[in-house]
Amino acid sequence: MRYIYDLDLNELKEYLMSAGEPKYRAGQVFSHLHKGYDVSEIPNVPKSVRENLEAEFITGLPKIVESQTSKIDGTRKLLLELHDGAFIECVLLQAEYGDTVCVSTQVGCKMGCKFCASGREGFIRNLSSGEILAQVIIANKLKVRSEKDESLRIVMMGSGEPLDNFDNVRKFFELVGAKDGLFIGSRNISLSTVGLPDRIRDFADLGGGVNLCISLHASNDKIRQSIMPTAKKYPIADIVSAARYFFDKTGRRVIFEYSLIEGVNSLPEHALELSKLMRGFPCHVNLISLNPTGVELSPPSREIAMRFMDTLIKSGVSCTFRKSKGQDIDGACGMLKLRKKGGT
Ligand code: SAH
């Protein structure tokens, strides 16, 4: 059985029309589902139609089984149970300019980055397009809208590697951008990847305007290989060349993410090496300090982090240092974990 949130408007139309319903019915159902109504609650749709939908499809948003709010910055982490009993986490972040939801794209992760908790318990399955969308629907329902009613931003930076689930992620972009649905524009979406060059090119070919972030975290292959298994297969030069392809194709600046790790990638020589790599390339470097995830790696002091940033800026590299949010609830980058039934 298909998950009802996996269907785009045309697919829903096809089903409803084949069941003898008028053309406009699909729009009614689609827009209410995406606003967060349960099938049983959709107004102005006959009960028989709602019952048929419930019989024909898996319905219902994932259940919120746990919700934690950061005492420091208000970041909220949700533990969601999917229809097959799998768990995922998603995070709601607040800023003056509006809210951001950080969504997961897989249950667990195969990439195995040493510093990240998301793949430590392995990989279970891909999320479907509708399961990624459902996290946004839930966040949209919970979000406290400001007077200006800014649109919700989406970062695909939760558990999982989005480009390892390419087809579902591509359909997710269509669903979340649908005019009759949430209508969230691609400029409000950022996708973060561990750096899979061929998939980055495929992503660029979509030409959709979604922002691309690449988790670099090292200024040379040796360091990268020591913390990210995928670096053995994909050298930095290939990733940078794919990033250039993305820029040439879309005209959009790539963001390189760099989590500073004490004694590993945060020395002055690394800053110089990184600036050589980035110089002249239309990109931005987003620095953060490593979030603790229970491994023998720690963040550097603030002084070291600031010195690293200064070196990049003096070399003409566009760069910002971002403070982590949601650390106290294990909701910051790399802290989302695979949770199993009966586990912790
Ligand atoms: N698989 C994607 C998205 C997942 S995580 C990717 O690799 O980009 C989102 C970001 O958090 C990535 O840049 C990831 O490398 C980073 N990250 C993971 N663990 C971290 C940690 N402990 N501290 C800081 N950043 C971390």
Side-chain angles (χ1 to χ4, degrees), residues 3 20 52 96 119 194 217 219 287 317:
Y3 190 35
N52 284 343
E96 294 97 66
V194 73
H217 305 322
S219 55
L287 295 171
V317 178

Side-chain angles (χ1 to χ4, degrees), residues 304-316:
I304 289 182
M306 290 304 117
R307 203 186 313 140
F308 195 96
M309 181 166 77
D310 277 352
T311 306
L312 288 177
I313 290 173
K314 283 195 184 114
S315 314

Side-chain angles (χ1 to χ4, degrees), residues 115-116 158 160-161 192-194 215 217 257 259 288 291 293 333-334:
F115 44 82
C116 179
E161 167 50 43
S192 177
T193 174
V194 73
S215 301
H217 305 322
E257 295 163 289
S259 300
I288 66 164
N291 296 307
T293 63
C333 285

